Amino acid sequence: MQGGHMVVEGPLRLSSILNSSNLSSLPSLTKIVGTLGPKSRSVDTIEECLKSGMSVARFDFSWLDADYHQETLENLRIAMRNAKKLCAVMMDTVGPELQISNPTGNPIELKADDHVIITSNVTKQPSAQVLPVNYSGLVETVKEGDTIFLGQYLVTGNETTSVWLEVLQKKSDEDVICLVKNTATLAGYMFTMHISQVPVNLPTLSDNDKELISNWGAKNNVDFISLHYTRHAEDVRELRAFLDEQNLHQTQIFAKIETVEGLKHFDEILEEADGIIVSRGNLGIDLPPEKVFLFQKSALYKCNMAGKPAIITRVVDSMIRNLRPTRAEATDVANAVLDGTDGILLGAETLTGLYPIEAIRIVGRTCAEAETVYNQSLHFKRLVKHVGEPMSHAESVAYSAVRAAVKVKAALIVVFTSSGRAARLIAKYRPPVPVFAVVVPRLKTNSLKWSLTGSAQARQLLSVRGVYPVLASPKVATLGGSSEESGLKFALDHGKSLGLLKPNDQIVVFQKIGDSSVVKIVELAS
């Protein structure tokens, strides 16, 4: 292993190429995050997305308003009931994103070697001569020779829809003259602007973000917040404190790393965040393109060792307009799985792309194929060495559960949990079989009222590779309950209904009994 890369043992595995794919009703252990929007917000489309493998729905507030997203979320809830599938909700902050508004939506043609003025005067109308950006500190931030990139999606691989600029000189307190490096047509109502490797003096969590979280986020009790442009660990701490103020104590924070500044502080950010999103679109601008894969491998390896979920973006951009990904894109998805990613995030592919369902389906199938050749034993050994000795009690039992599952060739691991921590610990060791997390609700009080926890914890496990949460009845608290309410029977019946279990299969069961943690191996009756 080098930098977290998982090497496929070729001679042992390549015979599978000519075999038909044997995919179960669980499309892949790797999770898929779909961004819902204009092409993916109807009940029917969302229902098909769920059936195709989407486990987390992302709401991007760079696009449209809270009312629009609320309608989409209500459609998601109906689709979940129809499809009988859980789905988590991820809310994206906007943060210090530099935007150029194009109210008319008229295309703007830019020609290579022409000059264009970027201005902080937002009262000016956008044109091929002037582009107004929502950043009053523009002139103070840039210098001659800096690279500015702008477009609707940022680096889709098709440079006719996005443009590179070189800063030539500052013309005034508001204007910067730039050289157009490539011919492009800017289409749409909003373009994102990025200044390569230049820190922007704007807060990571903006006042607008806070307003959206305190209203839309709190109202809907969102499961995750994706913190755009995370640059320091303090950014995560600030958001955590704000979430506590909004009574969103259970909401998890995924730090989105998309600049060199965030890369430099990655270790501290990882320590504070609940998960990481490696945002390769902006990283491909801030870093030389040939360096992005190195950060991906390093970041995923560190997340794997810490046992925190990692998600990568920008994998099948060509599917925004095409029914099939390129061969390079399919290979990229597979390599991300071999690198250890927990999930794949689809942005424009499902937001505005023509084939949102097909994008989810083919990414899921590609992930599932890659998982069959993932070098689990190498990861297991590396993780055991990283954890060291003595192991904590919880860590050692999780380790034992996965080791037992491998040794007996178990079909399934069943873990009983209230917080989700036990399931995450097991997933950290990347078992080659699904982990059914039976989330048992817990009655809690804050001295004012009683409440049941469990549903949020179950949905949040949908971001973790290999874990499939099922929300149990509050009565399911022990392995040996009544025949109908037994947690184990509940989990096994679910496994059988999905076609994952057959008579005489071995199942590893992880459960806490009092102060003890127990690993058992049971055999499914014939």
Side-chain angles (χ1 to χ4, degrees), residues 361-480:
R361 190 174 293 144
I362 198 162
V363 166
R365 288 205 304 266
T366 306
C367 290
E369 288 287 355
E371 288 155 8
T372 66
V373 294
Y374 179 77
N375 199 328
Q376 190 272 339
S377 62
L378 188 57
H379 171 80
F380 192 89
K381 291 172 186 174
R382 187 75 172 192
L383 184 56
V384 169
K385 183 178 178 181
H386 175 83
V387 171
E389 295 181 352
M391 280 185 175
S392 68
H393 175 82
E395 188 97 38
S396 64
V397 180
Y399 155 90
S400 300
V402 176
R403 186 173 176 82
V406 172
K407 292 295 183 184
V408 303
K409 298 188 182 334
L412 198 66
I413 297 174
V414 176
V415 54
F416 293 84
T417 182
S418 292
S419 66
R421 183 167 178 262
R424 288 187 180 86
L425 272 177
I426 289 175
K428 180 178 174 181
Y429 287 88
R430 290 289 188 257
V433 296
V435 177
F436 271 22
V438 181
V439 181
V440 183
R442 181 183 292 167
L443 195 60
K444 295 183 70 175
T445 181
N446 61 2
S447 78
L448 294 176
K449 63 178 181 178
W450 291 89
S451 61
L452 271 179
T453 67
S455 57
Q457 287 77 5
R459 291 191 303 270
Q460 285 167 343
L461 288 172
L462 289 166
S463 69
V464 182
R465 178 160 156 176
V467 178
Y468 296 90
V470 283
L471 189 59
S473 158
K475 296 179 182 178
V476 178
T478 64
L479 186 61

Side-chain angles (χ1 to χ4, degrees), residues 281-318:
N282 282 346
L283 274 172
I285 300 168
D286 232 31
L287 283 173
E290 66 272 18
K291 296 286 188 181
V292 175
F293 86 98
L294 287 173
F295 177 64
Q296 173 176 311
K297 290 178 184 296
S298 172
L300 294 184
Y301 173 70
K302 288 179 177 181
C303 289
N304 288 175
M305 293 300 106
K308 293 188 177 183
I311 296 170
I312 71 159
T313 69
R314 308 309 295 262
V315 291
V316 287
D317 287 330
S318 71

Side-chain angles (χ1 to χ4, degrees), residues 493-509:
D493 285 348
H494 189 59
K496 285 188 282 189
S497 72
L498 294 173
L500 295 174
L501 294 175
K502 61 184 184 300
N504 303 316
D505 272 348
Q506 304 287 318
I507 298 100
V508 171
V509 182

